[in-house]
Amino acid sequence: MRSTWLERRDSKPPEPAVRFLRKSEWILVGYFLYVVGVSLFIDIPPHVRTRVLVVNAAVIAAYLALGFCFSGRASRLLNIFRDWTPFFLVPLCYREMGWFAPAEHTYELERVWIVWDRWLLHDWGVRDAIEALGPVLPAYLEICYTLVYLLAPFVMLMLYAYLYRREASDRFLFIYLLGTLLSYALFPYFPSEPPRTVFPLDDMPRIDTVFRQINWWILKDAGIHTSVFPSAHVSASCSVVFGAFLIMKRGRWAPYAAAAVTLGIFWATIYGRYHFAVDSVAGVGVSLVALGVTLLVTRPSVAADERKPSQ
């Protein structure tokens, strides 16, 4: 049986760091530069623009310094640090989009989107189908919606357990970050609010669960008021699944588990009224774009190396 990277940590020399910045790190740098550019052209208060410039300049400078200082050979500890740093920066990326929230919404887009939701939930019977077994499916969907925050770290841990290569973790982070941040980047162009707030008495689930109450509590203070299109929940989770299937040739149960959760997330966003159906479909589209770009610009995972007998 092939040993994991953690078991081999003392038997191999340190891995070389990616020259200057990893591909996934360039995604983050590009996003923060993009946000600075957007702040210069949209109508926001001067103090918000100043905040964007200061925060993003500090983050970009830190990443460039990281790449400059460790662009030779690097210890495994440093590589682990670089693997996990993006998970702490993604919430900042999300909050920055909240700084661009309009003073008020016209609800023009929402009035169009709700018509399509009524077709799906009522005319096509999707809400009745979800509630046919009582609280079972509604509870499952809400649990999946909560797990979106843990899905990418879970797959990263599985990469550590079954296959640790710097190229593998970088490729996974590339598709995850691209699929997530592309959705965030589109928020300023589609100002909108979630259906649960725009239409609080319409199309809501008829079954309440404790898991739904937990999600509402989380979103009470964590939500932003810039846009819900595309659904970053959907684009991020789909990108995690695509990345897991691309890279993990061993431990194949993990990508399938992530796919089951992602399917639940997709339907939870619509049934739970966290998003309009068009938001969730657009989220899938964004993740497919991220997949295509990943296949074009990153190297395949080292599947051949996995098949070599353990030394």
Side-chain angles (χ1 to χ4, degrees):
M1 179 179 297
R2 185 176 177 81
S3 58
T4 66
W5 167 75
L6 292 176
E7 294 168 342
R8 302 191 308 271
R9 62 187 182 275
D10 297 324
S11 62
K12 295 185 68 176
E15 296 184 357
V18 177
R19 185 178 299 275
F20 197 49
L21 290 182
R22 297 175 170 187
K23 288 185 173 70
S24 59
E25 291 168 347
W26 280 115
I27 294 291
L28 279 165
V29 170
Y31 176 83
F32 286 113
L33 285 172
Y34 165 81
V35 173
V36 169
V38 171
S39 72
L40 298 176
F41 293 100
I42 66 173
D43 184 19
I44 56 176
H47 73 277
V48 174
R49 184 173 293 109
T50 300
R51 185 195 310 165
V52 170
L53 294 174
V54 171
V55 172
N56 289 18
V59 174
I60 292 170
Y63 254 122
L64 295 179
L66 178 72
F68 179 78
C69 295
F70 300 102
S71 59
R73 301 184 68 84
S75 68
R76 292 191 186 279
L77 184 61
L78 175 62
N79 281 323
I80 291 173
F81 171 78
R82 295 175 79 160
D83 287 344
W84 290 91
T85 298
F87 296 122
F88 296 96
L89 288 177
V90 166
L92 173 62
C93 297
Y94 175 73
R95 296 307 304 177
E96 287 194 346
M97 283 296 113
W99 300 345
F100 297 157
E104 59 182 21
H105 287 271
T106 63
Y107 304 120
E108 294 179 5
L109 293 172
E110 294 91 328
R111 282 193 285 268
V112 174
W113 294 341
I114 191 62
V115 175
W116 301 336
D117 281 22
R118 289 167 182 161
W119 288 343
L120 181 67
L121 293 170
H122 299 303
D123 297 351
W124 294 2
V126 169
R127 186 172 69 169
D128 290 338
I130 291 174
E131 297 177 347
L133 298 178
V136 176
L137 277 180
Y140 171 73
L141 296 183
E142 295 290 344
I143 291 171
C144 290
Y145 188 84
T146 306
L147 292 177
V148 70
Y149 309 108
L150 302 176
L151 202 60
F154 162 74
V155 171
M156 180 64 78
L157 287 173
M158 293 302 100
L159 286 177
Y160 276 41
Y162 289 101
L163 168 68
Y164 184 83
R165 295 291 186 277
R166 190 199 56 233
E167 295 86 353
S169 61
D170 186 39
R171 197 177 197 222
F172 170 70
L173 287 170
F174 185 93
I175 187 172
Y176 163 66
L177 291 172
L178 190 60
T180 304
L181 301 186
L182 273 178
S183 285
Y184 293 171
L186 292 172
F187 284 175
Y189 310 110
F190 300 93
S192 51
E193 291 272 43
R196 71 181 186 278
T197 59
V198 181
F199 305 100
L201 301 178
D202 197 2
D203 310 303
M204 298 297 285
R206 293 168 296 195
I207 296 177
D208 194 14
T209 66
V210 65
F211 306 106
R212 179 172 178 78
Q213 295 172 15
I214 292 172
N215 284 327
W216 276 57
W217 176 77
I218 293 173
L219 293 173
K220 179 181 178 181
D221 296 318
I224 61 175
H225 301 280
T226 305
S227 178
V228 292
F229 181 95
S231 169
H233 274 70
V234 173
S235 67
S237 57
C238 286
S239 297
V240 168
V241 172
F242 293 152
F245 275 109
L246 276 177
I247 297 166
M248 296 189 67
K249 309 305 179 183
R250 299 173 64 239
R252 295 292 282 182
W253 66 271
Y256 286 106
V261 172
T262 295
L263 183 62
I265 291 169
F266 177 88
W267 287 110
T269 58
I270 301 171
Y271 169 75
R273 311 314 292 137
Y274 301 111
H275 283 277
F276 296 92
V278 68
D279 306 334
S280 302
V281 173
V284 175
V286 169
S287 68
L288 290 173
V289 171
L291 173 62
V293 174
T294 301
L295 292 173
L296 286 174
V297 304
T298 66
R299 291 189 299 169
S301 60
V302 285
D305 183 71
E306 285 187 278
R307 293 192 293 268
K308 293 180 181 178
S310 178
Q311 299 298 325

